[in-house]
């Protein structure tokens, strides 16, 4: 690992050099810059880093598996590491490296791609420097910028050493995680599942994978998708491993556990966890397997947004499933109902219309829910009908309003927002990328 002195020790005229005619002034500048960094708080730096990273694909992928507070804590750790390294010239000690290694193992266990994690750290190094500049005074910022630009090799040297360290730790952790029996079982199950979803003949390799997993390849198959509410990656890996031990073909897929069982598989012990959400389809052959699993992924996404647990059936969410399978239609319904109410001072009218639909358009129930006099409600209804040109006494118009409201609930967007389409609920992306759908 490349060794460093303090980030400012190599400035001409610092205390590690013999003073020259110019050195005294430069030493004063170096001391001032060092004092600037010493005053910075790692929490404040992390808070400024987060907006730069929050909307990157790599950060959003991590957000599927980790609470926002955990991601902020990780940013704070890395900000503190860089600040300390630049001030002292001392790389992280074995304790810090051990903690980083364990967090890297957790990322690997959660299925986070190594290249995405490393790219996020590279983005984070730049976000760190931008955050530092945003937290200092204009004069201090000019000094830091001048130092960085004049001594680019020094700033880049610290970032390169930091990224080299992260790359080495994460690469080793990912390699070690891949050697675990549970990870190997997960990969075998996923590979065999993908093979079964194709129309290719079962090979000797497929039979060997099934034998190692203890899974019976004879159809019919019962596809399932499960979700543990607010679970850690280790919990999902453990559930998949226990399901495989019980005879299921199960693997972790983002925040879900997906797979197939034989008819009559015993779920009772697993459903004892009240956080578990389970969707199963009817027994099927290989031909209908992929379509069935795609529909189950969508069902779990919809049901989780409705705060459901235990077993769920598509019959319980037919309107939501219909809209989720037709996002263009869902958007059109939403625009028809809430489009005329967007903007201006119509927030109260939007909330009133949503509450009215949730109370089956009963005026008394809606008035009670809104703590509003009935005459005030009737006035608002007239205003809504005038702006939207909807007849809220008409059964067909009420149906359109109801569909718009339940789509807003399913997609977890504010009622009346410009577009309620969510990638996680679209049929095109329901096989993965449910970060917009499954809150954790």
């Amino acid at each position: 690992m490349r060794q460093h002195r303090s980030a400012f020790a190599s400035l001409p005229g610092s205390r590690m050099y013999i003073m020259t005619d110019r050195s005294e002034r430069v030493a004063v500048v170096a001391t001032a810059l060092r004092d600037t960094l010493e005053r910075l708080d790692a929490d404040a730096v992390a808070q400024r880093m987060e907006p730069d990273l929050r909307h990157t694909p790599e950060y959003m992928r991590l957000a599927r598996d980790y609470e926002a507070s955990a991601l902020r804590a990780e940013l704070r750790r890395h900000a503190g590491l860089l600040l300390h390294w630049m001030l002292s010239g001392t790389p992280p000690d074995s304790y810090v490296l051990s903690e980083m290694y364990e967090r890297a193992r957790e990322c690997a266990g959660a299925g986070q791609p190594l290249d995405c994690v490393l790219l996020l750290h590279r983005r984070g190094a730049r976000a760190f420097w931008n955050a530092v500049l945003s937290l200092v005074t204009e004069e201090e910022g000019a000094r830091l910028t001048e130092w960085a630009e004049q001594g680019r090799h020094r700033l880049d040297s610290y970032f390169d050493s930091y990224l080299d360290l992260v790359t080495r730790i994460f690469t080793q952790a990912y390699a070690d995680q891949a050697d675990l029996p549970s990870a190997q079982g997960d990969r075998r199950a996923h590979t065999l599942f993908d093979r079964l979803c194709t129309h290719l003949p079962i090979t000797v390799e497929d039979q060997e994978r099934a034998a190692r997993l203890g899974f019976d390849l004879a159809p019919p198959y019962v596809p399932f998708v499960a979700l543990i509410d607010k679970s850690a990656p280790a919990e999902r890996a453990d559930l998949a491993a226990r399901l495989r031990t019980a005879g299921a073909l199960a693997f972790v897929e983002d925040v879900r556990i997906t797979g197939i069982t034989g008819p009559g598989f015993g779920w009772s012990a697993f459903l004892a966890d009240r956080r578990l959400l389970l969707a199963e389809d009817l027994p099927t052959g290989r031909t209908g397997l992929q379509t069935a699993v795609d529909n189950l992924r969508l069902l779990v996404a919809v049901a989780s947004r409705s705060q459901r647990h235990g077993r769920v059936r598509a019959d319980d969410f037919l309107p939501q499933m219909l809209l989720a399978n037709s996002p263009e239609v869902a958007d059109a319904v939403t625009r028809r109902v809430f489009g005329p109410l967007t903007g201006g001072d119509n927030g109260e009218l939007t909330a009133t219309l949503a509450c009215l639909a949730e109370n089956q358009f009963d005026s008394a129930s809606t008035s009670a829910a809104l703590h509003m006099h009935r005459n005030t409600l009737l006035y608002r209804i007239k205003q809504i009908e005038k702006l939207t040109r909807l007849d809220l006494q008409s059964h067909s118009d009420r149906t359109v309003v109801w569909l718009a409201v339940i789509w807003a609930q399913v997609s977890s967007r504010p009622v009346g927002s410009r577009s309620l389409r969510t990638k996680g609920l679209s049929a095109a992306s329901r096989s993965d990328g449910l970060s917009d759908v499954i809150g954790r």
Side-chain angles (χ1 to χ4, degrees):
M1 184 185 303
R2 189 181 295 114
Q3 298 296 318
H4 293 274
R5 289 172 291 183
S6 165
F8 304 110
S10 58
L11 281 170
S14 70
R15 295 173 184 174
M16 301 189 71
Y17 286 79
I18 298 174
M19 290 289 187
T20 66
D21 292 341
R22 302 176 55 234
S23 63
E24 185 174 354
R25 181 182 64 82
V26 177
V28 171
V29 173
T31 301
L33 293 176
R34 187 183 299 108
D35 291 343
T36 296
L37 288 187
E38 286 178 342
R39 290 200 309 271
L40 291 178
D41 177 70
D43 282 321
V45 174
Q47 287 177 8
R48 294 296 178 94
M49 291 171 64
E50 188 177 4
D52 282 353
L53 301 172
R54 185 186 302 138
H55 300 296
T56 64
E58 300 79 25
Y59 192 93
M60 289 190 291
R61 188 179 182 99
L62 272 177
R64 301 181 205 171
D65 291 320
Y66 298 95
E67 299 282 355
S69 59
L71 292 177
R72 283 192 291 269
E74 187 66 11
L75 287 178
R76 190 225 176 275
R77 277 190 287 266
H78 284 276
L81 182 155
L82 279 167
L83 284 172
H84 180 269
W85 200 343
M86 294 182 72
L87 283 166
S88 69
T90 304
D93 58 26
S94 58
Y95 177 77
V96 174
L97 296 181
S98 176
E99 282 195 327
M100 185 185 295
Y101 173 84
E102 291 303 323
R103 292 194 297 274
R105 285 280 294 268
E106 187 176 351
C107 280
Q112 294 289 335
L114 178 59
D115 57 344
C116 289
V117 175
L118 296 180
L119 178 57
L120 182 59
H121 281 84
R122 187 169 295 278
R123 294 186 193 276
R126 181 52 52 192
F128 164 82
W129 187 244
N130 292 338
V132 167
L133 294 177
S134 71
L135 288 168
V136 299
T137 65
E138 186 175 346
E139 181 181 357
E140 291 170 334
R143 289 174 179 172
L144 285 170
T145 300
E146 181 181 4
W147 167 77
E149 291 177 351
Q150 291 181 353
R152 175 62 63 183
H153 63 282
R154 286 192 296 274
L155 179 61
D156 285 347
S157 179
Y158 276 92
F159 286 165
D160 287 345
S161 294
Y162 161 75
L163 293 171
D164 286 347
L165 174 67
V166 168
T167 299
R168 178 169 58 84
I169 293 294
F170 273 75
T171 300
Q172 183 62 54
Y174 269 65
D176 293 345
Q177 182 69 22
D179 289 338
L180 291 178
S182 60
Q184 294 173 357
D186 207 79
R187 287 197 303 274
R188 288 194 190 101
H190 202 161
T191 300
L192 184 56
F193 174 83
D194 289 342
R195 295 277 303 169
L196 289 175
C197 287
T198 68
H199 299 291
L200 298 174
I202 292 176
T203 65
V204 173
E205 289 80 6
D206 295 331
Q207 294 173 346
E208 289 178 350
R209 291 188 186 100
R212 288 186 179 185
L213 293 166
F215 179 73
D216 185 0
L217 278 174
Y221 309 115
V222 180
F224 73 88
V225 174
L227 174 72
I228 307 177
D229 187 32
K230 297 180 180 178
S231 60
E235 290 182 283
R236 299 194 287 273
D238 177 68
L239 175 58
R242 288 189 290 119
L243 285 168
R244 290 195 295 270
T245 301
L249 186 69
F251 56 92
V252 177
E253 182 184 47
D254 293 322
V255 294
R256 302 156 300 193
I257 298 90
T258 302
I260 51 181
T261 70
F265 182 81
W267 281 99
S268 300
F270 300 99
L271 288 168
D273 185 344
R274 295 185 178 276
R275 298 175 302 159
L276 185 66
L277 172 64
L278 173 65
E280 286 183 288
D281 208 332
L282 297 174
T284 182
R286 293 178 63 187
T287 302
L289 189 56
Q290 185 65 65
T291 300
V293 171
D294 284 345
N295 288 331
L296 291 175
R297 289 178 180 127
L298 188 59
L299 173 57
V300 164
V302 169
S304 67
R305 278 306 188 192
S306 301
Q307 307 299 316
R308 287 287 297 272
H309 299 96
R311 291 180 183 270
V312 293
R313 301 181 307 156
D315 290 352
D316 300 328
F317 298 95
L318 290 179
Q320 293 92 331
M321 295 284 286
L322 177 66
L323 291 169
N325 269 307
S326 306
E328 292 80 9
V329 174
D331 271 351
V333 169
T334 301
R335 288 193 301 270
R336 172 66 186 92
V337 173
F338 293 112
L341 300 179
T342 56
D345 299 322
N346 295 325
E348 290 184 345
L349 297 182
T350 298
T352 299
L353 182 56
C355 188
L356 195 64
E358 291 167 357
N359 285 275
Q360 291 76 48
F361 296 91
D362 181 74
S363 298
S365 300
T366 305
S367 297
L370 294 173
H371 306 288
M372 179 187 298
H373 192 277
R374 185 172 180 275
N375 289 340
T376 303
L377 174 63
L378 294 177
Y379 172 77
R380 288 191 182 181
I381 290 174
K382 289 181 180 179
Q383 290 297 105
I384 291 169
E385 290 181 324
K386 179 180 178 181
L387 290 171
T388 63
R389 297 182 181 179
L390 291 168
D391 179 4
L392 297 183
Q393 298 301 315
S394 163
H395 179 72
S396 61
D397 283 0
R398 285 184 174 186
T399 300
V400 172
V401 172
W402 178 70
L403 288 172
V405 171
I406 65 170
W407 178 241
Q409 293 171 344
V410 167
S411 59
S412 291
R413 301 291 184 88
V415 172
S417 61
R418 184 175 61 86
S419 176
L420 291 179
R421 182 180 303 178
T422 172
K423 293 180 180 178
L425 283 175
S426 67
S429 61
R430 60 192 170 193
S431 61
D432 56 14
L434 290 175
S435 58
D436 292 334
V437 183
I438 302 176
R440 299 191 61 257

